[in-house]
Amino acid sequence: MSAAVITVSHLRKTYGATVAVDDVSLEVREGEIFGLIGPNGAGKTTTMECVEGLRRADRGIISVLGLDPVRDASALRQRIGVQHQDAHLQKRIKVWEAIDLWASLYGRTVEAGALLARLGLEGKRDAWFMTLSGGQKQRLFIALALIHDPEVVFLDELTTGLDPQARRAIWALVTGIRDRGKTVFLTTHLMEEAERLCDRVAIIEHGRLIEMGTPADLVATHCPERRVVFTSDSPGVAERLKDAPGVRHATTEGQTHTLHGEGDDFVTGIIHAVARESIHVRGFRTEVPTLEDVFLKLTGHGIRD
Amino acid sequence: MLKGLWALAWLETKIFAREPMGLVGTLGLPVVIFILLGRAFGAGGRSVPGAAQAPFNVAILAALLIAVSAVLSLVAIMAIYREGGILKRLRATPLAPLTILSAHVVVKLGFTLASLALLMAAGRQFFPGAMTPHWLGFSAALLLSVLSILSLGFVVASVVPTARFAQPVGAAVLYPMVVLSGLFFPIEALPRTLEVVAWGLPTTHAVALMQGIWDGGGWAAHWDHVAGLATIFAVCAAVASKTFRWE
């Protein structure tokens, strides 16, 4: 297991009478993409901003790269890159001017031209910020977060409001950051995003951390059930397959049959049984629970936009 | 602490110059008003032959307008930058918070000098012989005045709730101050309470100092107004450092 680069223990943060974050403890390891997931208002951003040193925690201990985010703020800023939710820049700042300014603030920087090229912004060097599309703005913010080659990158809701193509392009970039050996700490309320990107996730709701682990482990622990759905015109097929390993029960609706079950051998068992019984199958698919199902189960409600 | 100050100030200058309306309001308007009123009443406190006697020094009014437009613009920029998360984003960089705000002060002082230069050029062109102050001293008086009023601008920017309210709130604070500044009628003519209030405002000291320097007085003769501007700057800077909101 890699070393922890971020350690948060018993973090608490209140705004007046509102408890935004309550007793949150977590650990982000070197070289992973760690996602803080939960609905809007759950306390994700507050947690992240305490870790970045932008907010002072009421209680708890935070360590990032062995530094205290508030006390060692200036040393830490040289080593972390941040992107904020709903951030903007000056309307009429040019892309290269922003990159230039940011680059001038850090002791060590990567080559700006190559960075812009990697983020697909080389053609937008002279464009004003206000003329960029949503996806281009977010890519510029990623560039600003990466200009000083930081060890840890913080990304807060970076694909909110983007169309699916732009979102996928950003996902590829984030994976690329991890593949260059950086640690990524992100927040998202999109379960699909968390499942695609994150090596590990923590689910937070009403300021409390309710579960943490790899997406696959969380699904296996909380939603182990699988479904095989197939269509067949052979009579009584569901009946003939219900003794296959792992099958709990079967339902039939017209020519569509659904087998519910769990376990590693569940799907394989059904495939074997279908072959053995020589059942003629016209369509066949498996349905696996997702992080969204886990969230639904743990919180009793779906994620809200 | 000054790291990035000049880079940021230069960048903000370029950004400001890209907004046509802001540039016209900051550089153009005071000069246009100066020329129009100067034609009607005479510039520099001297009447034009055949025109009505100038009730006040038109050049001082123009200088005061330069200061006011700088402050109104600062309040608006701070509100917009806060609302857009720009201040927050800058604050997450190695820039010191004071550097971020100082850069905007530097920009405003720079535009103040540019406006004053335009004013001088217009005076030379349209009112030859009427503009006879010690320009270096007058520039210094104006810069000190702008600095002091800007500090009040930061206090206003701290309490303005959203960018939409920035201009109206700023105007509501500054325009009465201009009226009470002693430019249009003597402070002594005010009721006692208002007189005390007026001497607590930076604009009043600004007008007194600029008028004094314009009339050829030395700085030593106006130390009280210099002290007044400096005190107001210190108080407002202290208040703003406690109340300024970054998001």
Side-chain angles (χ1 to χ4, degrees), chain A residues 49 54-55 77-78 82 84 86-90 92-94 96-97 101-102 104-106 128, chain B residues 3-4 7-8 11-12 14-15 18-19 81 84-86 88-95 247:
Chain A
E49 290 182 352
L54 287 178
R55 292 179 195 288
R77 269 169 207 176
Q78 294 286 341
V82 305
H84 293 143
D86 302 327
H88 292 275
L89 290 177
Q90 295 89 325
R92 291 177 171 80
I93 194 172
K94 290 179 182 174
W96 73 262
E97 288 172 338
L101 174 68
W102 256 250
S104 75
L105 301 174
Y106 295 95
W128 286 354
Chain B
K3 185 182 167 139
L8 186 58
L11 187 55
E12 292 290 355
K14 287 194 284 180
I15 292 169
R18 283 170 194 160
E19 195 144 22
Y81 278 25
I86 301 170
K88 186 177 166 190
R89 184 64 195 85
L90 287 171
R91 212 189 171 195
T93 67
L95 283 168
E247 52 186 291

Side-chain angles (χ1 to χ4, degrees), chain A residues 209-222:
Chain A
L209 201 143
I210 51 180
E211 193 42 297
M212 187 155 57
T214 69
D217 282 351
L218 292 186
V219 170
T221 308
H222 296 284

Side-chain angles (χ1 to χ4, degrees), chain A residues 52-53 67-80 105-107 148, chain B residues 3 91-97:
Chain A
E52 293 166 352
L67 301 169
D68 180 311
V70 174
R71 204 187 52 220
D72 308 321
S74 58
L76 188 61
R77 269 169 207 176
Q78 294 286 341
R79 298 174 64 187
I80 64 171
L105 301 174
Y106 295 95
H148 54 299
Chain B
K3 185 182 167 139
R91 212 189 171 195
T93 67
L95 283 168

Side-chain angles (χ1 to χ4, degrees), chain B residues 35 62 87 120 176 187 201:
Chain B
I35 294 169
L87 286 178
M120 284 160 58
I187 302 289
L201 302 174

Side-chain angles (χ1 to χ4, degrees), chain A residues 110-286:
Chain A
V110 298
E111 213 271 295
L115 181 63
L116 285 180
R118 178 146 65 87
L119 294 172
L121 287 171
E122 68 272 52
K124 289 285 169 187
R125 272 179 47 85
D126 292 318
W128 286 354
F129 179 77
M130 66 192 282
T131 66
L132 300 179
S133 71
Q136 289 165 344
K137 284 177 183 167
Q138 287 299 41
R139 279 183 276 145
L140 174 57
F141 281 117
I142 294 177
L144 297 178
L146 295 179
I147 188 75
H148 54 299
D149 200 24
E151 291 155 71
V152 186
V153 183
F154 293 89
L155 306 169
D156 193 2
E157 295 278 2
L158 85 164
T159 66
T160 302
L162 297 188
D163 58 46
Q165 288 96 324
R167 182 168 288 161
R168 263 151 226 275
I170 299 272
W171 288 348
L173 291 171
V174 175
T175 321
I177 298 172
R178 191 240 345 249
D179 295 345
R180 287 180 155 73
K182 315 292 180 197
T183 305
V184 179
F185 184 7
L186 61 83
T187 74
T188 180
H189 69 278
L190 302 169
M191 293 297 138
E192 191 198 351
E193 179 164 293
E195 197 149 24
R196 289 280 192 101
L197 280 182
C198 297
D199 299 308
R200 288 191 314 129
V201 298
I203 300 177
I204 187 168
E205 199 200 29
H206 300 312
R208 288 187 158 269
L209 201 143
I210 51 180
E211 193 42 297
M212 187 155 57
T214 69
D217 282 351
L218 292 186
V219 170
T221 308
H222 296 284
C223 299
E225 61 280 1
R226 305 273 183 279
R227 282 194 299 270
V228 166
V229 182
F230 63 97
T231 46
S232 170
D233 40 19
S234 314
V237 278
E239 196 62 24
R240 283 154 66 193
L241 293 174
K242 78 177 187 344
D243 293 329
V247 177
R248 287 273 180 74
H249 67 281
T251 55
T252 297
E253 203 171 305
Q255 295 189 346
T256 304
H257 310 277
T258 308
L259 299 167
H260 304 257
E262 58 185 71
D264 288 344
D265 299 331
F266 170 62
V267 178
T268 319
I270 290 169
I271 292 169
H272 284 190
V274 165
R276 194 171 57 242
E277 299 273 329
S278 303
I279 294 169
H280 179 246
V281 172
R282 284 193 286 111
F284 186 98
R285 71 171 195 271
T286 57

Side-chain angles (χ1 to χ4, degrees), chain B residues 109-123:
Chain B
L109 293 180
F111 276 106
T112 297
L113 282 181
S115 302
L116 186 60
L118 271 181
L119 203 65
M120 284 160 58

